[in-house]
Amino acid sequence: MFNKILRRAPEAVLGLEERKSVICKEGPPSHIAIIMDGNGRWAKKRSLPRIAGHHEGMKTVRKITRLASHLGVDVMTLYAFSTENWKRPKLEVDFLMRLPEEFLSTFLPELIEENVRVEMMGYHENLPQHTLEAIRKAKEATKDNTGLILNFALNYGSRSEIVDAVKVIAEQAAAGQLNPEDITESDIADRLLTSKLPEPDLLIRTSGEVRLSNFMLWQLAYTELWFTETLWPDFDELTLVEAIEDYQKRNRRFGGLKGEEEV
Ligand code: V07
């Protein structure tokens, strides 16, 4: 009887540090993607301006990056700004566009120390020069790092990404370099912004919304989806550990069947 309880919920009797070691032993997801939602709502609950929520959310990025790095995650992709976000009030957009610089000027030394490599995925057009310059410097300063790849989706939209890949393929077909009959999934995957990354194993969306919102539509085909009511600024180490434990539980059940399950 006690045995059964222990087998069912080993995490219930372990402390956070022990749960982290169990995750490491079992093998953490290689690629975690996160839709960091609920920053505005977090601020509203406290009668603060939305930008205060974005700023608090930035601190969560730091905490979660450090944990992902320690757990041995290979890639973490964070949805920081979508192509739709330009519709927000100009002052809010201006503030958001300052966050990459603020984040990097505060945390770049720590990222270097942690062997983290900074990457960006998204359209450069429309992004202010100061934002791009801060990111370019961080990419340069971390380009030889071999630990976690911290991939910021910034001015990113998945349908545009797919349209662009299709355009390249169509041009190559028109030029006679590619036979339409022979186009494969890899031809498309190789022309997406994620061509050098593994597909996400786990997608997390915070704040109770249960949608993909034009995020990595192609790449998420076989990804485990995990949703929480927790708002992004309240997301902490324990929440990430819970998400990964759930992922590992599902994987134990369906291990090896990815891409061949009976839908
Ligand atoms: C942003 C904080 C996190 C919650 C979501 C919205 C607000 C970190 C970055 C960032 C981006 C690129 C980079 C380094 C850091 C960021 C935006 C918004 C636009 F190279 N947080 N964060 N960028 N938020």
Side-chain angles (χ1 to χ4, degrees):
M1 154 83 152
F2 287 123
N3 226 351
K4 202 166 190 179
I5 293 166
L6 285 173
R7 233 185 301 128
R8 264 199 194 152
E11 65 276 7
V13 294
L14 298 180
L16 184 58
E17 290 310 312
E18 292 166 301
R19 289 166 72 173
K20 289 184 199 170
S21 334
V22 173
I23 285 174
C24 288
K25 256 179 251 149
E26 181 137 351
S30 167
H31 185 173
I32 302 178
I34 309 184
I35 303 176
M36 308 181 286
D37 206 359
N39 303 286
R41 209 176 315 158
W42 181 92
K44 195 172 178 195
K45 267 172 57 181
R46 288 165 177 74
S47 307
L48 294 168
R50 288 174 59 80
I51 57 171
H54 296 318
H55 199 263
E56 196 64 24
M58 192 181 70
K59 296 187 197 163
T60 305
V61 171
R62 179 218 183 184
K63 272 187 286 185
I64 293 312
T65 299
R66 204 172 26 189
L67 177 54
S69 161
H70 291 172
L71 291 175
V73 172
D74 298 314
V75 186
M76 189 163 70
T77 298
L78 302 178
Y79 206 2
F81 192 89
S82 80
T83 47
E84 301 304 302
N85 288 155
W86 296 109
K87 293 178 190 152
R88 294 187 180 174
K90 179 169 175 0
L91 278 177
E92 184 178 340
V93 168
D94 289 349
F95 179 86
L96 285 166
M97 286 302 141
R98 290 281 167 195
L99 284 184
E101 285 155 283
E102 182 174 349
F103 179 88
L104 294 167
S105 68
T106 318
F107 303 127
L108 186 57
E110 191 174 310
L111 298 175
I112 293 171
E113 176 76 28
E114 287 274 342
N115 197 23
V116 171
R117 195 173 106 208
V118 175
E119 282 292 343
M120 180 204 140
M121 151 175 111
Y123 292 92
H124 286 212
E125 62 210 45
N126 302 326
L127 288 174
Q129 208 49 50
H130 61 86
T131 311
L132 287 171
E133 187 55 18
I135 295 170
R136 190 194 62 73
K137 282 189 190 146
K139 283 174 64 177
E140 174 63 25
T142 61
K143 69 177 190 321
D144 296 323
N145 288 355
T146 54
L148 174 75
I149 298 174
L150 181 57
N151 182 35
F152 286 100
L154 201 66
N155 198 17
Y156 171 85
S158 180
R159 286 190 175 178
S160 303
E161 177 194 30
I162 294 171
V163 167
D164 287 350
V166 169
K167 279 182 186 162
V168 171
I169 291 172
E171 278 159 15
Q172 289 176 334
Q177 295 158 358
L178 200 62
N179 180 358
E181 291 281 319
D182 302 334
I183 294 172
T184 63
E185 291 188 6
S186 304
D187 288 313
I188 296 176
D190 292 348
R191 288 163 182 81
L192 298 176
L193 298 170
T194 47
S195 63
K196 296 194 186 79
L197 301 176
E199 287 177 3
D201 304 290
L202 171 63
L203 171 86
I204 296 171
R205 182 167 189 158
T206 57
S207 179
E209 304 301 333
V210 192
R211 286 172 274 121
L212 293 181
S213 301
N214 203 20
F215 186 55
M216 300 183 90
L217 300 178
W218 173 278
Q219 296 88 339
L220 293 172
Y222 296 107
T223 304
E224 295 293 338
L225 311 180
W226 196 85
F227 301 95
T228 175
E229 295 285 333
T230 304
L231 308 177
W232 179 249
D234 294 326
F235 193 93
D236 60 7
E237 291 208 328
L238 181 59
T239 336
L240 183 61
V241 162
E242 281 171 348
I244 297 178
E245 285 170 350
D246 279 352
Y247 161 82
Q248 290 181 329
K249 264 182 236 157
R250 295 184 202 174
N251 252 20
R252 280 199 293 274
R253 254 180 294 155
F254 296 105
L257 283 174
K258 281 281 161 97
E260 50 188 271
E261 64 256 48
E262 298 172 39
V263 295

